[in-house]
């Protein structure tokens, strides 16, 4: 027999083994094929660019913030797959919630308990990360999905080049751990931290002065009180509450160079459903820059025509 034929089985074995990937790698690729998708992205590459993006200008591009990531049927809240679904339709800021497991892992979870949003039961703080990884997420209708509870680290890594995040920190989570993960993943440009009091804002600013903060500012008096905090306006996005604010108030924040986030989730979203999505456009026309909503796809469609034809912010929006 010709010796060259003896090489055929060997070559088939070699090339066959090269084409096979380890099971772990195949699993990673499978996950990425679900999560990584084309979309409407926001890309900032440094904290300086993040500050520029959030500095109000008259040619700003109005946009939405997807509350709890923008859940829809089949897409549960606080899931990376849900974030990816929303950015298929619109550039967005993703608002997410962070809780901590018994063994100190930061996971995305709004409730103290697992019952409503997962197939598990009991307190998040009583479950280990290994316990939580055996669970599946449920959508708003209670339908079980194939999606797992992500970690904050996974969400931060996913967001780069795709979306900006606002991080809602549950009371049981130490600020130090949040800052540590943001810094260890190099996510300072992508993650703004949500605060609910000026004291909390001052504490976080002292710990991480490079990070953007979402601070609740609902009236002129609170503008004046914030100015006494010592936090630069260049580090702030103003959450103006969940009720429509006077145009003069929004203008006062704009004069400080500050973006306004109006929470339309709940009552105002309900009014839009009942009376028409043009409500979202009217709120933007009165000075709301970002609409925090449970209906990010519908709200974004309603305000799309309000974007200026040219804008200094356009460089941050990618497809």
């Amino acid at each position: 027999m010709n010796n060259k034929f003896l090489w055929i089985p060997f070559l088939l074995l070699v090339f066959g083994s090269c084409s096979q990937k380890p099971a772990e790698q195949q699993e990673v690729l499978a996950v990425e094929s679900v999560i990584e998708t084309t979309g409407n992205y926001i890309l900032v590459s440094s904290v300086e660019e993040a500050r520029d993006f959030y500095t109000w200008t008259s040619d700003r591009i109005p946009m939405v913030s997807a509350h709890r990531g923008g859940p829809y049927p089949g897409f549960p809240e606080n899931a990376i797959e849900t974030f990816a679904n929303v950015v298929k339709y619109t550039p967005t800021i993703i608002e997410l919630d962070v809780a901590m497991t018994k063994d100190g892992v930061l996971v995305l979870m709004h409730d103290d308990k697992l019952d409503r949003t997962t197939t598990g039961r009991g307190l998040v703080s009583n479950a280990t990360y290994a316990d939580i990884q055996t669970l599946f997420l449920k959508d708003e209708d209670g339908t079980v999905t194939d999606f797992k509870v992500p970690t904050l680290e996974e969400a931060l890594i996913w967001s780069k080049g795709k979306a900006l995040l606002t991080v809602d920190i549950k009371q049981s989570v130490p600020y130090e751990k949040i800052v540590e993960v943001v810094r260890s993943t190099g996510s300072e440009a992508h993650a703004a931290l949500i605060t609910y009091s000026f004291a909390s804002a001052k504490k976080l600013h002292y710990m991480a002065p490079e990070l953007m903060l979402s601070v609740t500012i609902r009236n002129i008096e609170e503008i004046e009180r914030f100015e006494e905090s010592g936090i630069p306006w260049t580090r702030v996005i103003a959450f103006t509450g969940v009720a429509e604010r006077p145009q003069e108030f929004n203008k006062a924040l704009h004069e400080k160079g500050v973006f306004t986030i109006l929470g339309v989730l709940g009552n105002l979203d309900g009014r839009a459903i009942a009376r028409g999505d043009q409500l979202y456009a009217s709120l933007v026309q009165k000075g709301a820059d970002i609409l925090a909503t449970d209906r990010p796809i519908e709200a974004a469609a309603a305000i799309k025509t309000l974007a200026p034809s040219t804008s200094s912010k356009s460089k941050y929006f990618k497809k």
Side-chain angles (χ1 to χ4, degrees):
M1 182 182 292
N2 193 323
N3 286 339
K4 67 181 181 181
F5 292 109
L6 296 176
W7 286 92
I8 293 175
F10 173 74
L11 292 172
L12 289 172
L13 177 62
V14 170
F15 287 116
S17 63
C18 288
S19 66
Q20 298 297 316
K21 301 190 186 306
E24 295 86 352
Q25 190 173 351
Q26 288 180 336
E27 183 177 349
V28 169
L29 290 173
V31 171
E32 287 181 347
S33 69
V34 173
I35 297 176
E36 302 300 331
T37 182
T38 57
N40 302 274
Y41 298 147
I42 302 172
L43 176 60
V44 296
S45 57
S46 66
V47 290
E48 290 77 19
E49 287 190 352
R51 290 172 198 161
D52 181 64
F53 179 88
Y54 281 123
T55 298
W56 188 87
T57 56
S58 59
D59 66 347
R60 62 88 168 97
I61 297 174
M63 58 185 306
V64 296
S65 171
H67 183 228
R68 302 186 193 175
Y72 282 89
F75 291 97
E77 65 183 55
N78 284 308
I80 293 177
E81 292 84 356
T82 300
F83 309 161
N85 177 61
V86 173
V87 301
K88 286 193 299 185
Y89 298 92
T90 178
T92 185
I93 296 167
I94 299 287
E95 187 267 349
L96 52 78
D97 305 279
V98 180
M100 188 167 67
T101 65
K102 184 178 181 180
D103 49 348
V105 178
L106 300 182
V107 296
L108 304 195
M109 186 70 56
H110 177 272
D111 298 358
D112 292 333
K113 291 186 176 182
L114 297 162
D115 304 46
R116 181 179 65 87
T117 59
T118 80
T119 52
R121 296 183 65 82
L123 294 170
V124 178
S125 58
N126 286 343
T128 65
Y129 178 63
D131 294 332
I132 286 179
Q133 283 304 285
T134 67
L135 308 177
F136 291 93
L137 289 167
K138 297 187 291 189
D139 70 9
E140 299 286 275
D141 297 322
T143 302
V144 177
T145 70
D146 294 330
F147 307 144
K148 297 283 191 172
V149 176
T151 63
L152 174 60
E153 181 179 13
E154 290 168 340
L156 290 168
I157 292 170
W158 174 88
S159 73
K160 294 182 180 183
K162 297 183 183 70
L164 299 180
L165 307 180
T166 54
V167 181
D168 194 344
I169 308 166
K170 298 301 146 186
Q171 287 187 344
S172 60
V173 180
Y175 288 162
E176 292 81 359
K177 288 188 71 70
I178 297 287
V179 172
E180 178 185 353
V181 175
V182 170
R183 286 174 170 168
S184 68
T185 56
S187 302
E188 293 91 337
H190 307 93
L193 307 185
I194 295 173
T195 65
Y196 292 101
S197 69
F198 294 157
S200 296
K202 288 174 67 174
K203 180 177 180 179
L204 272 170
H205 180 66
Y206 176 81
M207 292 171 56
E210 75 276 19
L211 298 184
M212 294 296 299
L213 301 176
S214 171
V215 181
T216 300
I217 302 175
R218 297 160 294 189
N219 51 53
I220 296 297
E221 180 188 357
E222 289 182 342
I223 290 178
E224 295 170 351
R225 285 179 53 211
F226 177 81
E227 289 191 316
E228 297 171 359
S229 71
I231 303 171
W233 284 109
T234 55
R235 302 297 190 276
V236 176
I237 316 157
F239 179 74
T240 60
V242 293
E244 183 178 352
R245 299 300 170 193
Q247 192 164 358
E248 295 76 16
F249 168 70
N250 290 327
K251 182 179 178 182
L253 286 167
H254 292 160
E255 288 173 350
K256 305 288 185 183
V258 177
F259 263 82
T260 63
I261 304 181
L262 174 62
V264 300
L265 48 100
N267 183 48
L268 292 174
D269 270 342
R271 281 173 53 190
I273 292 171
R275 303 179 188 179
D277 291 345
Q278 68 272 10
L279 172 68
Y280 297 124
S282 71
L283 295 171
V284 168
Q285 288 168 331
K286 294 175 183 176
D289 304 308
I290 302 167
L291 302 179
T293 174
D294 288 320
R295 306 176 69 231
I297 297 171
E298 294 85 353
I303 65 175
K304 188 175 181 179
T305 59
L306 299 179
S309 56
T310 59
S311 171
S312 58
K313 308 296 184 184
S314 296
K315 60 189 173 183
Y316 298 118
F317 292 84
K318 310 290 181 183
K319 282 205 173 193

